[in-house]
Amino acid sequence: MPLIPEEPQIHESAQGPRATPASGRTAPTPRPVPGPRPAASRPGRPGPPRPTPPAQRAPRDAAPAAKPAATAKPAPAAEPAPTTTTPQIQLIPASAEGALDAAEEAVDLLLDSGRAPGDVLVITTGEPHPWATHELSFGEASYWAQHDSGDDVFYTDAQVADRAGVRPVVVVAVNGGPESATVSALSVAHTRAGALLIVCGDPQRINSMLGTAA
């Protein structure tokens, strides 16, 4: 009697997935199929631009940064008040007849001490100085042009002395004339003298007139 080979037994654990029976049994969930990789991960192709990270915002309750304190500007220094220069007054005793010669000697001493000729102005109260009389013979324009040049000692008289400008040294020769002319000459000389005022004449008379002239 021939032998019939036995059918191999298939264990339950080795069996594959079973088809969904018609009776409504749930089939196992199929695994997801991997799709194509995103373009960014594909080699050789640039990906889309990366989004810009949002700017960091300070928290609402954070206090704003304190501004540096403005440096206070120093107050401008007050300008000093202009000072009025008072010339030094020197009296040379002389008579009315000798006042002009005394003035000439004073001018010579000034020039010998180093004063420039243009620094000196001489005013007479009586007769004009011979130099002034000579220069005025050529006309007033030429006469005052020499004053404006400031190159030499300038001689004038009390009647027109107010036209003269300021010079470091003014010499007044009280060689006569009315008292009003002397007072006027001393007043003008006091305002025109920058450093030194020399008066040649009677000291007592000059001292009394200087108070009136001031």
Side-chain angles (χ1 to χ4, degrees):
M1 179 173 184
L3 296 175
I4 301 173
E6 296 181 357
E7 294 179 1
Q9 296 181 358
I10 300 173
H11 297 281
E12 186 70 21
S13 60
Q15 295 179 2
R18 297 180 181 180
T20 302
S23 60
R25 294 178 58 187
T26 304
T29 304
R31 296 179 180 178
V33 180
R37 289 187 297 177
S41 61
R42 298 179 187 177
R45 296 184 60 184
R50 297 182 179 180
T52 305
Q56 297 182 356
R57 299 179 60 185
R60 294 182 180 180
D61 56 349
K67 295 182 179 180
T71 304
K73 296 182 179 180
E79 297 183 359
T83 56
T84 303
T85 303
T86 302
Q88 179 183 358
I89 300 176
Q90 180 179 352
L91 301 180
I92 299 179
S95 63
E97 293 77 13
L100 193 56
D101 292 337
E104 287 285 5
E105 292 180 4
V107 171
D108 291 339
L109 290 174
L110 290 169
L111 299 180
D112 292 342
S113 65
R115 282 286 182 182
D119 289 350
V120 183
L121 171 67
V122 179
I123 302 175
T124 59
T125 62
E127 293 184 1
H129 190 277
W131 179 92
T133 303
H134 175 73
E135 294 300 328
L136 280 171
S137 65
F138 298 102
E140 289 191 5
S142 174
Y143 171 72
W144 288 106
Q146 296 187 54
H147 166 270
D148 296 338
S149 65
D151 297 331
D152 204 349
V153 180
F154 190 77
Y155 297 85
T156 188
D157 61 78
Q159 296 180 358
V160 293
D162 56 348
R163 292 184 57 179
V166 176
R167 293 202 177 190
V169 182
V170 177
V171 180
V172 178
V174 184
N175 60 336
E179 185 172 345
S180 60
T182 304
V183 173
S184 176
L186 293 176
S187 177
V188 172
H190 194 270
T191 59
R192 299 301 190 271
L196 178 62
L197 172 59
I198 301 175
V199 184
C200 304
D202 183 0
Q204 294 182 355
R205 185 183 177 195
I206 291 171
N207 285 327
S208 62
M209 290 183 179
L210 281 174
T212 305

